[in-house]
Amino acid sequence: LIPIPSYETALRTNRVYTLERFVGRYQILLPMEVVGMFKNEFVFLRRHIRELHSVERWMEKGRDVKFGEEPIKNAKSRSGKGDIGLYGFWQTEPFKPAKCLQPGIVPKDKYGCVPLYKESMLPEGTVHLRQPWIGKMARKKKNDFAPAMIG
């Protein structure tokens, strides 16, 4: 390892070391192993910084928070309407799409859509049709459908 910088600005941009106050809102230090001191502050390895995301953001990445997991950190929401629970990668699992319980019925989320941020999120027994006006045609034929929430 390289020596710990003696200036704060050098420590802020250092690729190896960091201070706890330089850890972002959506990040956490795990494990919190102290490797040195800088002006009465603990110095940590930057490689121990872990990214945290909300449940919705993990869903967009094709991952689902495991049942019973508690948020490792809370952050104030940008809208100012309370706190958001943040979870780490180790608290998630690959998203398992819903199965069609009845033939001809598309499983939908609470907004009436099918979350489809990744192809692996397509519910079993369904097909993603990308043609324009397909929803209008399905409505005319009285077929069950749901718009895909992509991107």
Side-chain angles (χ1 to χ4, degrees):
L1 292 175
I2 62 173
I4 297 172
S6 56
Y7 297 101
E8 185 177 327
T9 53
L11 195 57
R12 181 183 298 269
T13 58
N14 192 283
R15 291 182 177 192
V16 178
Y17 301 109
T18 189
L19 298 175
E20 189 171 11
R21 64 182 153 125
F22 298 150
V23 176
R25 177 193 294 186
Y26 297 102
Q27 296 174 329
I28 195 168
L29 277 165
L30 279 179
M32 285 190 76
E33 293 179 13
V34 177
V35 294
M37 292 290 286
F38 174 80
K39 295 184 181 177
N40 297 327
E41 285 188 75
F42 295 124
V43 177
F44 302 95
L45 292 175
R46 190 168 288 277
R47 70 173 183 235
H48 291 164
I49 293 178
R50 306 286 183 249
E51 295 294 322
L52 303 176
H53 300 292
S54 65
V55 173
E56 293 80 18
R57 184 68 62 180
W58 279 120
M59 175 73 76
E60 291 172 11
K61 293 179 176 284
R63 300 197 61 84
D64 206 4
V65 174
K66 294 176 186 173
F67 180 76
E69 286 287 342
E70 294 291 323
I72 191 127
K73 185 177 177 181
N74 288 312
K76 291 182 180 172
S77 67
R78 292 185 179 168
S79 64
K81 298 178 182 173
D83 288 348
I84 304 171
L86 300 176
Y87 301 86
F89 181 83
W90 65 94
Q91 295 177 294
T92 65
E93 59 192 4
F95 180 80
K96 295 180 189 89
K99 295 181 181 176
C100 290
L101 299 176
Q102 298 173 346
I105 305 295
V106 178
K108 304 170 188 80
D109 65 4
K110 62 183 177 182
Y111 304 109
C113 300
V114 175
L116 195 60
Y117 300 108
K118 301 214 180 247
E119 285 296 319
S120 62
M121 296 176 75
L122 187 66
E124 288 182 30
T126 62
V127 178
H128 182 207
L129 302 173
R130 294 177 176 89
Q131 290 86 7
W133 308 104
I134 199 75
K136 198 173 193 179
M137 295 299 294
R139 208 174 291 120
K140 270 187 179 178
K141 297 281 186 184
K142 297 189 181 355
N143 290 335
D144 187 47
F145 77 100
M149 179 62 71
I150 57 174

